[in-house]
Amino acid sequence: MTEQRKSIHGTWSSKWTFILAATGSAVGLGNIWKFPYMAGDNGGGAFVLVYLACIVVIGIPIMIGEIMIGRRGRSSPANTMRFLAAEANTTKAWTMLGATGALAGLLILSFYSVAAGWAMAYVFSGFQETSAQAVSGNFEEFLADPVSLIFWHSLFIVITVIIVARGILKGLEAWINTLMPMLFLIIILLCIYAMQTGAFMEGLVYLFKPDFTKINSDVLLAALGQAFFTLSLGMGAIMAYGAYMPANQNILKTAFVVAALDTGVALLAGIAIFPIVFANGLAPTEGPGLVFVTLPIAFGNMPFGVFFGTLFFILLSIAAISSSISLIEPGVAWFVESLKTKRSYAAITLGAFAWSIGVFSALSFNLMSDFKIFGMNFFEFTDFITNQIMLPLGGIFIAIFVGWVMKKQNVLEELQIKEGFIFNVWFFLLRFIAPVLVGLVLVYFFI
């Protein structure tokens, strides 16, 4: 089947390129900006422990299923689900799983590009301020300026659209092969610097020593949402990239490699950030401002701080771009397949859609700061509804479709393995453990 169906968009030129592409989709602001502040807000080691458990028990099994769906369908997520639903002789309503995943990706891109714009702006910060009051004031002043936020938000969207419009080989693959090695190199350099701060062990203890009294429904849902967000699950990105995967590539091994690289970058980001925070007497519970408020203070006080500060925010921008191109790709693929449009037109149209919604996220820190939805500003609400509701729900339905709707023989054929211990463990986790645990966490949170 995989040999008969070919993606009209082409395929990755090598197995390693798919790994870099999927890792690039997974590694982004979620690892380097969001993971450290989520860990800081949710008890450090307790959050990390639950997060790692979610990755192993829920994230990896669902990722294997999503890659497998994408490669078997060889189309955009919506068209892939339509084809596989017909193959399984079931309702066409499953097409909505691919469509809502692509929508979730665009909604995420809308606020993601605003935060990515912060990172791009901070590349030119200079890191001369050394007091908490001055740095905090600068960040608040930056957020209060709607023109600046919209400018950087717009620039980031334009860069994303240009890359995606160039296609699989000239656009996505060329940039991924350049960006990802740079990302890994920079994060390792920052970790080496963190070892010299004098607070390296303090940072490790905070990150890896769990306080089980900190674990509650909020921490569980936050860790679950972070696992889905950081692995790019439930948003169509992994499914779309799977459609371009070489037919002879081992899905199980690839999923484990991607999850390991992604989780490794998140942990390395924490290892790099928290020793710098503690060495400078800063608070780890700064929320979204952890990177943009506390680290500039640290960089301003350290030797070669301008170099390392600029390096860090270049890293953050690179990571953001590697993820943003995967957020828009599922929708672009559908436009090209179903509406027969050029990739450039599709990328511009969907980029404009994400940009328009993102303007409200940018304005939620200034002109629309008093506008609240369930006590959250527009930026926070879009983040919550996508990462902690839409992605976990998408994960549940992916698990149900692969585990209960698809024919087992087709699953075995696409995974290219025989039914045995490894398959049975994965299939059990996918059919029972993953959907039940995700469902319980969602129900427990809302109750």
Side-chain angles (χ1 to χ4, degrees), residues 292-303:
F292 298 99
V293 175
T294 62
L295 287 189
I297 303 172
F299 291 133
N301 282 290
M302 69 173 65

Side-chain angles (χ1 to χ4, degrees), residues 3-186:
E3 291 297 335
Q4 295 172 357
R5 284 183 61 81
K6 303 292 184 182
S7 170
I8 66 172
H9 309 279
T11 58
W12 306 114
S13 62
S14 69
K15 298 177 182 179
W16 180 243
T17 299
F18 173 81
I19 291 174
L20 287 179
T23 304
S25 171
V27 173
L29 291 183
N31 301 70
I32 302 166
W33 163 61
K34 196 171 184 181
F35 173 78
Y37 93 69
M38 291 289 284
D41 280 353
N42 291 282
F47 172 86
V48 173
L49 182 66
V50 177
Y51 164 76
L52 291 176
C54 289
I55 292 288
V56 174
V57 178
I58 299 173
I60 293 176
I62 291 178
M63 173 177 270
I64 292 170
E66 189 164 351
I67 295 173
M68 188 269 297
I69 287 175
R71 191 170 72 177
R72 190 163 188 86
R74 292 293 189 193
S75 305
S76 65
N79 286 334
T80 282
M81 292 308 303
R82 179 173 57 82
F83 165 73
L84 294 185
E87 183 182 61
N89 296 318
T90 188
T91 173
K92 293 182 180 180
W94 282 103
T95 303
M96 292 300 298
L97 175 59
T100 55
L103 176 61
L106 289 173
L107 291 176
I108 291 171
L109 178 61
S110 73
F111 74 85
Y112 188 92
S113 60
V114 174
W118 304 347
M120 293 177 68
Y122 265 60
V123 170
F124 308 99
S125 173
F127 308 104
Q128 300 299 316
E129 302 288 356
T130 58
S131 71
Q133 183 177 3
V135 173
S136 179
N138 287 344
F139 185 60
E140 291 175 2
E141 184 179 339
F142 176 62
L143 293 184
D145 183 357
V147 175
S148 292
L149 293 190
I150 291 175
F151 169 78
W152 290 107
H153 160 61
S154 303
L155 179 61
F156 185 83
I157 289 287
V158 168
I159 293 172
T160 299
V161 167
I162 290 173
I163 295 172
V164 174
R166 290 179 60 83
I168 300 302
L169 297 178
K170 293 181 179 179
L172 303 183
E173 184 169 314
W175 273 83
I176 286 163
N177 284 334
T178 302
L179 295 178
M180 293 312 299
M182 288 174 60
L183 187 153
F184 291 125
L185 175 62
I186 295 173

Side-chain angles (χ1 to χ4, degrees), residues 209-376:
K209 185 178 180 180
D211 179 357
F212 294 104
T213 63
K214 301 279 188 181
I215 298 176
N216 54 35
S217 63
D218 290 336
V219 172
L220 290 173
L221 187 60
L224 179 65
Q226 178 65 15
F228 274 86
F229 180 62
T230 192
L231 289 177
S232 295
L233 300 178
M235 62 180 73
I238 295 299
M239 198 183 298
Y241 278 11
Y244 316 142
M245 187 180 191
N248 61 346
Q249 187 159 355
N250 187 296
I251 293 177
L252 292 174
K253 291 180 180 178
T254 300
F256 274 99
V257 171
V258 171
L261 289 173
D262 171 71
T263 306
V265 170
L267 296 177
L268 286 174
I271 291 170
I273 290 172
F274 286 116
I276 296 174
V277 169
F278 290 126
N280 290 272
L282 306 172
T285 55
E286 286 285 339
L290 179 66
V291 167
F292 298 99
V293 175
T294 62
L295 287 189
I297 303 172
F299 291 133
N301 282 290
M302 69 173 65
F304 307 107
V306 174
F307 171 75
F308 279 103
T310 303
L311 198 64
F312 178 83
F313 285 102
I314 289 174
L315 160 68
L316 202 56
S317 300
I318 289 172
I321 292 171
S322 71
S323 291
S324 68
I325 58 180
S326 72
L327 294 172
I328 195 174
E329 177 61 23
V332 169
W334 183 84
F335 261 65
V336 173
E337 294 167 3
S338 301
L339 303 182
K340 309 301 180 185
T341 63
K342 294 181 179 180
R343 280 188 67 89
S344 57
Y345 176 79
I348 291 171
T349 301
L350 295 179
F353 173 78
W355 178 86
S356 300
I357 299 175
V359 167
F360 294 103
S361 287
L363 296 179
S364 66
F365 297 98
N366 37 75
L367 299 181
M368 291 178 57
S369 59
D370 293 330
F371 177 74
K372 303 291 182 181
I373 306 174
F374 300 116
M376 296 175 278

